[in-house]
Amino acid sequence: MELENNVVKGLGFQVAAEKIYSKMQLPLVVKAPTQGSTIGISFVHRKEDFISALELAYRYDRTALVEQFIEGREITASVLGNEKPMALPLIEIVTKTGVYDYEAKYTAGLSEHIIPPRISREQQEVIKDLAVQAFKALGGRGLGRVDFMLDPQGNPFILEVNTIPGMTATSLFPDAARAAGIEFPELIDRILKLALES
Ligand SMILES: Nc1ncnc2c1ncn2[C@@H]1O[C@H](COP(=O)(O)OP(=O)(O)O)[C@@H](O)[C@H]1O
Ligand SMILES: [Mg+2]
């Protein structure tokens, strides 16, 4: 659910927050939609933390995104290509702290990249297919990374499509490429060639 900051202020912050809250069930995730690296995100387990979570999101954005928290595996699909994009091997992310936050993303050793993920091959194919569809639907070109949460029944939920995925030493995309036999220099070469294609 999305809520405009100024609308909230107009209605009265508490009233609007109550309205959203009544339509959803704890735990919730409140996000600043235009941010990345888990900045502006709160995991809300108690009702009394909902308002401060919205306030944090509004520090970064005019809108806040409120989602249902999905307890389950986190999987990411790296996508490479222009007209016919392909999904690289999937990665399951496991963090030491249980939250894939800023620190876990950029500190070596705080998160584990499991390739292939601990799900069936069939399910991997479903996720890859969804990732390519999402990338195409948004007009993605060159490269992208589609993040998923899987609920306990294995239903995939797309969290987001990253159009400039991280390329640091702890990043996911270079690991996915390596698992496909594409070393970093070749990966950069391929990304540049894709960018130059008309
Ligand atoms: N609805 C959700 N349920 C459970 N965990 C979530 C949910 N949304 C986000 N997360 C967790 O928060 C992290 C960051 O969220 P994401 O939407 O991908 O934002 P960012 O653009 O900052 O990466 C995810 O990698 C995941 O670990
Ligand atoms: Mg993300």
Side-chain angles (χ1 to χ4, degrees):
M1 272 187 100
E2 235 180 338
L3 199 70
E4 287 271 349
N5 192 3
N6 52 1
V7 175
V8 176
K9 292 273 153 64
L11 275 174
F13 200 79
Q14 297 282 349
V15 177
E18 196 63 48
K19 200 171 158 193
I20 302 185
Y21 187 83
S22 66
K23 293 187 181 167
M24 303 184 82
Q25 281 172 357
L26 287 175
L28 300 170
V29 186
V30 180
K31 304 181 178 181
T34 64
Q35 292 297 306
S37 301
T38 324
I39 293 166
I41 296 187
S42 305
F43 299 92
V44 178
H45 295 275
R46 301 177 314 164
K47 187 178 180 188
E48 53 267 42
D49 297 332
F50 186 53
I51 295 281
S52 55
L54 284 173
E55 282 169 350
L56 176 72
Y58 290 141
R59 257 190 246 161
Y60 296 96
D61 267 317
R62 287 185 64 247
T63 60
L65 192 62
V66 184
E67 295 178 359
Q68 215 55 69
F69 178 83
I70 299 150
E71 177 92 61
R73 287 186 203 284
E74 178 158 8
I75 307 272
T76 195
S78 303
V79 179
L80 194 61
N82 285 336
E83 270 66 42
K84 286 191 177 156
M86 64 162 183
L88 299 174
L90 300 179
I91 304 180
E92 178 178 345
I93 302 147
V94 177
T95 57
K96 289 261 153 70
T97 55
V99 185
Y100 199 37
D101 59 7
Y102 189 92
E103 215 192 340
K105 284 178 180 176
Y106 300 110
T107 312
L110 284 193
S111 68
E112 211 183 323
H113 299 178
I114 302 176
I115 311 174
R118 296 165 296 177
I119 55 174
S120 69
R121 281 195 184 200
E122 292 74 28
Q123 205 173 10
Q124 290 180 46
E125 288 314 310
V126 169
I127 291 174
K128 283 182 176 180
D129 194 48
L130 282 172
V132 169
Q133 280 186 50
F135 182 75
K136 281 184 173 174
L138 294 179
R141 286 181 72 79
L143 77 164
R145 217 194 63 235
V146 187
D147 295 340
F148 291 84
M149 292 300 302
L150 265 54
D151 74 8
Q153 287 75 45
N155 298 310
F157 292 83
I158 295 181
L159 293 182
E160 60 163 348
V161 178
N162 296 284
T163 51
I164 308 179
M167 285 288 171
T168 69
T170 58
S171 294
L172 297 154
F173 200 105
D175 271 4
R178 202 169 299 114
I182 308 168
E183 290 299 327
F184 198 70
E186 191 196 335
L187 175 62
I188 299 306
D189 207 49
R190 283 174 73 154
I191 292 168
L192 290 175
K193 283 196 179 119
L194 287 166
L196 291 170
E197 268 179 28
S198 55

